Amino acid sequence: MSWRDNLIKIEPYVAGEQPNKTDFIKLNANENPYPPAPGVLRAIEQFRGGSLKKYPDANAKPLADALAKRFGLQRENVFVGNGSDDVLALCFRAFFNSDMPVIYPDITYSFYPVWCEMLHIPFETIPVDDSFNINAADYKRPNGGVVIANPNAPTSIGRGLDFMREILDANPDSVVISDEAYVDFGGTSSVPLLKEYENLVVVQTFSKSRSMAGMRIGYAMGSAELIKALNDVKYSFNSYTMNRTSILLGTASIEDDVYFKETVEKIVNTREWFKAEMKKLGFTFPDSKANFLFASHPKVPAKEIFEAAREKDIYVRYFDKPRINNYLRITI
Ligand code: PMP
């Protein structure tokens, strides 16, 4: 027996490649091409570095308050974390403690199985249909929790409230997570359902629609009981996940709704133009409600396009996985 036997054995999530050069086109991590809101940039300039000698507010109160106000919720219904990956990992730890499997689609965000493996959470994946649609009826089975990315990634398909309601109605005894990283680009948020379902948690991020992937801010919204469980886990790991700059700049972003709406609208318009251009080239893709297209070509294998584009310093995302290995995920 050596200390090596006691090391964690896990296959981690692999994020989109970050090329080590300056002149390239990066369409592989669904980042926003526009800068953060002007108020965010002003707040950085005015930030008093001396304040860093003190710990930040462990509750990230100004940011959580701003989010609560924006969504018409109470402070006790909002949890803020270090990117939605952090928030989702804490959700898995806080909500999925059953012996029954957590269920989610076979084609979805590939971080979910990593958290399940790491946290010893049993899980089962449910196949989407041949058009990548999730069938809500498939989620009417005993489980220890449900995770739905809506819009889904990497498929880009967004579903409405009837779909989420069907899943929630079938699962009163499980926590249902709606991972809404891409919802601002034309998806339907489940936030209005929070009033009706105290087992629903909605997770969103500043990384995509708010152009702040580099700042790492995510948040969860749900009943006071769910948010308390999240806080209990957080305070059992690390009290100060949100640093002073994240709290300040995140709050500045929320305060500028005009810029937020303009930026999102520009990306949606570009996406619709891109759909038309890609169709002309013969590509097929689900009707995206996100800031990316999930595209396939009938004649040219996706891997070939991925490699050829990379040669020209254009980085898109290719997943060498069953069912989706002839698709490219291309950020708008
Ligand atoms: N959920 C989904 C579905 C995503 O695609 C991503 C981005 N990789 C995230 C959550 C996490 O984003 P972030 O940690 O930047 O908030």
Side-chain angles (χ1 to χ4, degrees):
M1 196 67 173
S2 110
W3 53 267
R4 288 192 180 87
D5 297 313
N6 296 329
L7 299 183
I8 189 168
K9 284 155 199 81
I10 191 162
E11 201 179 309
Y13 172 74
V14 183
E17 190 178 351
Q18 304 277 4
N20 190 17
K21 46 184 156 186
T22 48
D23 197 13
F24 62 99
I25 299 174
K26 188 164 185 293
L27 307 175
N28 68 351
N30 298 338
E31 291 144 322
N32 195 314
Y34 300 106
V40 174
L41 304 180
R42 269 197 306 278
I44 299 182
E45 280 164 18
Q46 290 162 8
F47 180 70
R48 287 176 21 254
S51 66
L52 290 177
K53 68 187 177 218
K54 296 221 172 106
Y55 281 108
D57 179 342
N59 298 307
K61 193 170 175 301
L63 180 52
D65 283 345
L67 285 164
K69 189 165 154 224
R70 174 178 165 80
F71 288 99
L73 301 169
Q74 301 300 313
R75 170 73 190 82
E76 63 190 19
N77 302 121
V78 179
F79 176 87
V80 189
N82 211 338
S84 62
D85 281 339
D86 175 51
V87 174
L88 285 163
L90 296 175
C91 284
F92 275 52
R93 185 66 193 82
F95 306 143
F96 299 154
N97 293 291
S98 160
D99 295 332
M100 283 196 290
V102 165
I103 54 176
Y104 53 80
D106 63 338
I107 299 179
T108 191
Y109 188 29
S110 45
F111 223 138
Y112 304 156
V114 177
W115 289 315
C116 286
E117 300 269 350
M118 185 174 71
L119 299 167
H120 306 293
I121 298 167
F123 67 97
E124 261 172 34
T125 58
I126 301 181
V128 294
D129 71 15
D130 288 340
S131 310
F132 300 133
N133 280 306
I134 301 170
N135 181 4
D138 293 342
Y139 291 75
K140 296 176 186 173
R141 60 164 88 181
N143 65 70
V146 181
V147 192
I148 301 288
N150 187 27
N152 196 9
T155 68
S156 77
I157 299 172
R159 302 296 297 268
L161 288 188
D162 288 350
F163 165 85
M164 284 306 289
R165 249 182 219 289
E166 195 178 338
I167 290 184
L168 284 157
D169 286 336
N171 289 285
D173 297 325
S174 300
V175 173
V176 176
I177 298 179
S178 181
D179 175 357
E180 300 185 352
Y182 301 104
V183 77
D184 295 323
F185 302 103
T188 304
S189 174
S190 291
V191 165
L193 301 181
L194 290 171
K195 287 195 287 291
E196 291 167 62
Y197 299 93
E198 50 185 19
N199 57 327
L200 167 66
V201 61
V202 175
V203 178
Q204 297 188 357
T205 177
F206 281 51
S207 296
K208 318 292 176 184
S209 53
R210 293 190 175 275
S211 313
M212 292 177 75
M215 204 68 232
R216 312 305 299 126
I217 306 174
Y219 50 103
M221 297 171 281
S223 60
E225 220 174 325
L226 293 183
I227 298 304
K228 181 185 179 302
L230 270 180
N231 274 310
D232 289 347
V233 172
K234 175 195 143 159
Y235 288 117
S236 306
F237 269 118
N238 173 6
S239 310
Y240 302 107
T241 51
M242 299 296 291
N243 64 61
R244 280 180 177 268
T245 44
S246 306
I247 298 170
L248 185 77
L249 305 186
T251 309
S253 171
I254 293 291
E255 279 162 4
D256 194 341
D257 206 41
V258 173
Y259 180 85
F260 168 72
K261 287 194 177 125
E262 275 171 13
T263 311
V264 164
E265 193 186 323
K266 281 197 269 189
I267 293 169
V268 168
N269 289 341
T270 305
R271 177 187 71 207
E272 295 309 309
W273 167 84
F274 187 52
K275 282 180 187 172
E277 295 298 314
M278 289 288 278
K279 259 191 201 130
K280 285 185 209 161
L281 293 173
F283 282 93
T284 58
F285 41 86
D287 189 31
S288 171
K289 297 281 182 211
N291 67 340
F292 57 89
L293 235 55
F294 195 52
S296 183
H297 198 277
K299 295 208 186 98
V300 195
K303 195 167 184 197
E304 228 171 83
I305 304 173
F306 166 72
E307 282 162 3
R310 203 166 175 280
E311 285 291 306
K312 291 186 184 290
D313 287 331
I314 301 168
Y315 289 75
V316 299
R317 193 88 203 255
Y318 173 71
F319 300 95
D320 201 358
K321 289 188 176 162
R323 299 193 78 187
I324 56 171
N325 59 8
N326 200 23
Y327 280 81
L328 298 170
R329 195 196 67 188
I330 308 167
T331 302
I332 304 298

